[in-house]
C-alpha cells in the first residue's frame, strides 16, 4: 500500500474527530460566568492567613435547566503552569433555570510566599446526568501579607506572652546572680511613760518623780549640810554668849 493512502486515511480520521468535538461543544449548555473581587479588595490581592472572597455571577444562556454543583480552584506557577496547591471546594447544589442569573460567593485561603501566582477557579454543573466544567477565573494574582494592626487581639496577646516570659526570666536571673542585701533593723528607743501629770511653775518648781533616787540622795545630803552648820553656829554663838555673861558677872564681884 502506498504512503499516500496512509496519509489520506489519517487526514480523514482527524477530520472526523474534529467534527465530533465541534458537535460535542455545540451540545454543551452555554454558561457565562463573570468573576469579581469585593469592593474592599479593588486590586484583587490574595492575603495570607485571611479568608479571601470572590463572587461568581453565573448566567444560564442555554435552553436547558442546569444545577450548580460546586466551585473549586488551584494555584499554579505563573510561568510554567505547574500545579502548586488546590484550594477548597464548596458544594452548592443550586438549580439555575434557563435564561436566569445567579451570584454565588466563593472563599479560599492562602499560605504562600509573597509574590505572583496564577489562580484558576472553575464551576461544575450538571444537566440531567451529564457533568460539565466551566472556567470561572484564570489570571495571575499577587500574594501579600496582612497589614499589621495595633488593635489585633492575637498580636496583642502574643506581645503580652512574650513580655511576661522575658520578665520572668529577668527576675529569675536577677535573684540568681545578684546577692540580696537585707536592711539593718534599728532598735526602737524605749521612752518611759510619765507617771501622773507634769507641772512646772515659773518659780523653778519641779517634781521629784522624774529624778532618779541617786540624785535625790545627793541633793538632800548637800542641803542638810548648811542647816547643820547653821545650827552649830547658832549653838556656838549661844555658848559664847553665856560664857561672856559669866565672865562679866565675875568681873562685878
Amino acid at each position: 500500500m502506498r504512503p499516500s493512502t496512509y496519509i489520506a486515511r489519517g487526514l480523514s480520521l482527524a477530520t472526523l474527530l474534529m467534527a465530533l468535538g465541534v458537535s460535542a461543544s455545540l451540545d454543551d449548555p452555554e454558561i457565562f460566568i463573570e468573576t469579581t473581587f469585593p469592593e474592599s479588595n479593588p486590586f484583587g490581592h490574595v492575603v495570607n492567613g485571611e479568608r479571601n472572597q470572590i463572587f461568581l455571577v453565573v448566567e444560564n444562556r442555554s435552553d436547558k435547566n442546569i444545577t450548580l454543583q460546586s466551585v473549586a480552584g488551584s494555584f499554579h506557577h505563573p510561568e510554567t503552569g505547574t500545579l502548586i496547591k488546590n484550594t477548597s471546594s464548596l458544594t452548592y447544589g443550586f438549580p439555575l433555570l434557563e435564561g436566569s442569573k445567579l451570584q454565588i460567593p466563593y472563599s479560599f485561603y492562602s499560605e504562600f510566599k509573597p509574590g505572583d501566582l496564577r489562580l484558576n477557579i472553575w464551576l461544575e454543573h450538571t444537566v440531567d446526568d451529564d457533568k460539565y466544567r466551566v472556567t470561572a477565573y484564570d489570571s495571575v494574582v499577587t500574594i501579600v501579607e496582612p497589614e499589621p494592626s495595633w488593635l489585633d487581639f492575637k498580636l496583642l496577646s502574643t506581645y503580652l506572652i512574650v513580655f511576661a516570659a522575658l520578665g520572668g526570666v529577668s527576675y529569675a536571673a536577677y535573684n540568681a546572680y545578684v546577692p540580696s542585701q537585707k536592711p539593718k533593723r534599728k532598735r526602737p528607743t524605749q521612752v518611759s511613760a510619765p507617771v501622773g501629770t507634769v507641772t512646772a511653775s515659773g518659780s523653778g518648781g519641779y517634781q521629784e518623780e522624774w529624778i532618779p533616787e541617786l540624785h535625790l540622795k545627793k541633793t538632800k545630803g548637800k542641803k542638810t549640810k548648811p542647816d547643820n552648820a547653821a545650827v552649830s553656829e547658832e549653838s556656838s554663838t549661844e555658848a559664847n554668849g553665856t560664857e561672856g555673861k559669866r565672865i562679866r558677872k565675875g568681873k562685878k564681884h
Side-chain angles (χ1 to χ4, degrees):
M1 188 176 291
R2 296 179 179 179
S4 60
T5 305
Y6 290 105
I7 295 173
R9 288 183 179 180
L11 292 174
S12 62
L13 181 60
T15 304
L16 178 61
L17 292 175
M18 291 177 63
L20 290 175
V22 170
S23 62
S25 62
L26 292 175
D27 291 339
D28 291 347
E30 186 180 359
I31 303 298
F32 178 78
I33 303 176
E34 182 181 0
T35 307
T36 57
F37 284 92
E39 295 181 357
S40 59
N41 188 12
F43 299 103
H45 291 168
V46 177
V47 184
N48 284 330
E50 296 182 0
R51 187 182 68 171
N52 299 275
Q53 196 171 32
I54 194 171
F55 297 102
L56 281 67
V57 180
V58 185
E59 183 180 1
N60 185 6
R61 296 181 179 180
S62 67
D63 57 352
K64 299 178 181 180
N65 298 331
I66 65 174
T67 302
L68 306 178
Q69 296 295 338
S70 63
V71 177
S74 58
F75 286 98
H76 301 262
H77 192 274
E79 297 178 359
T80 62
T82 305
L83 176 64
I84 297 177
K85 186 178 181 181
N86 291 323
T87 60
S88 57
S89 177
L90 298 182
T91 303
Y92 297 97
F94 296 150
L96 187 62
L97 303 179
E98 56 178 332
S100 60
K101 185 186 295 186
L102 180 65
Q103 178 178 340
I104 57 177
Y106 175 67
S107 301
F108 60 94
Y109 291 87
S110 170
E111 293 295 342
F112 303 104
K113 294 181 179 180
D116 294 337
L117 291 178
R118 178 173 292 277
L119 175 61
N120 184 16
I121 299 176
W122 62 83
L123 168 69
E124 291 185 353
H125 64 90
T126 57
V127 179
D128 297 334
D129 294 334
D130 299 328
K131 181 180 287 187
Y132 302 91
R133 175 181 289 187
V134 181
T135 301
Y137 185 83
D138 188 11
S139 180
V140 176
V141 295
T142 303
I143 311 297
V144 297
E145 294 292 341
E147 296 181 358
S149 176
W150 292 105
L151 300 178
D152 190 0
F153 177 75
K154 293 182 179 179
L155 187 62
L156 291 176
S157 61
T158 303
Y159 285 155
L160 289 176
I161 293 173
V162 172
F163 288 152
L166 291 177
V169 172
S170 302
Y171 181 75
Y174 178 81
N175 291 335
Y177 295 100
V178 178
S180 60
Q181 296 180 356
K182 296 182 179 180
K184 296 181 180 180
R185 297 182 179 179
K186 296 182 179 180
R187 295 181 180 179
T189 56
Q190 297 180 356
V191 180
S192 60
V195 179
T197 59
V198 178
T199 58
S201 60
S203 60
Y206 60 90
Q207 289 186 352
E208 296 182 354
E209 296 176 354
W210 288 87
I211 302 174
E213 295 180 358
L214 180 61
H215 293 286
L216 289 175
K217 290 179 180 180
K218 290 181 179 180
T219 53
K220 287 180 180 180
K222 291 179 180 179
K223 288 181 180 180
T224 54
K225 286 180 179 180
D227 295 339
N228 295 332
V231 172
S232 60
E233 290 178 356
E234 290 178 357
S235 59
S236 61
T237 53
E238 290 178 357
N240 293 331
T242 52
E243 289 179 355
K245 290 179 179 180
R246 290 177 182 176
I247 294 169
R248 289 175 183 177
K249 288 178 178 181
K251 286 182 178 181
K252 289 180 178 181
H253 289 288

